[in-house]
Amino acid sequence: MRNKVQNPIISGSIRAVLDLSSVADTDWHDLSSSDFIDSTTGSACASGLSFEWIGVENQGSAEMFIKYRPRTLASDPTTNEIAVGQIFSDDLGTLRTSINTIAYKKNSASDVVRIIVGLSAI
């Protein structure tokens, strides 16, 4: 931030959403761009896009978890992972590493969870 000026934050040119309400377990699951539906076309997003922004709506009664990398096992621990309350957002485009896969773990199989992302081909 030379001269107190920040480069623009990239949030991606594609907005997409995924409703996880039908996932009826509390395992860790990986997500990539092709798992999401483009909100402007209604079609599945292309594979290989980078996550630039993420928003989570968690209507469950307790925290869920996300991480900015693939899971190792479905039973990975939640220690040192990002806890998500009711609303969460983050500018992933500001990270030093390009994010192509994220993972999530719901607290309860019946929780209603939606993930909104900004994606780009950068």
Side-chain angles (χ1 to χ4, degrees), residues 6 23 27 42 52 56 59 65 81 83 85 87-89 92 97:
Q6 177 177 328
V23 177
D27 293 339
E52 303 293 343
V56 180
Q59 294 182 18
F65 294 89
E81 302 302 349
I87 301 287
F88 174 84
S89 70
L92 304 181
T97 303

Side-chain angles (χ1 to χ4, degrees), residues 38-105:
D38 185 318
S39 63
T40 63
T41 66
S43 299
C45 293
S47 62
L49 301 176
S50 294
F51 290 90
E52 303 293 343
W53 181 85
I54 186 170
V56 180
E57 175 193 11
N58 174 17
Q59 294 182 18
S61 60
E63 295 176 328
M64 62 172 289
F65 294 89
I66 60 172
K67 51 182 159 183
Y68 299 157
R69 64 185 186 285
R71 71 179 195 174
T72 302
L73 300 169
S75 60
D76 285 353
T78 57
T79 307
N80 299 320
E81 302 302 349
I82 299 169
V84 175
Q86 293 178 326
I87 301 287
F88 174 84
S89 70
D90 195 5
D91 292 314
L92 304 181
T94 62
L95 299 174
R96 68 178 176 214
T97 303
S98 180
I99 307 299
N100 293 318
T101 303
I102 60 175
Y104 74 91
K105 177 184 179 358

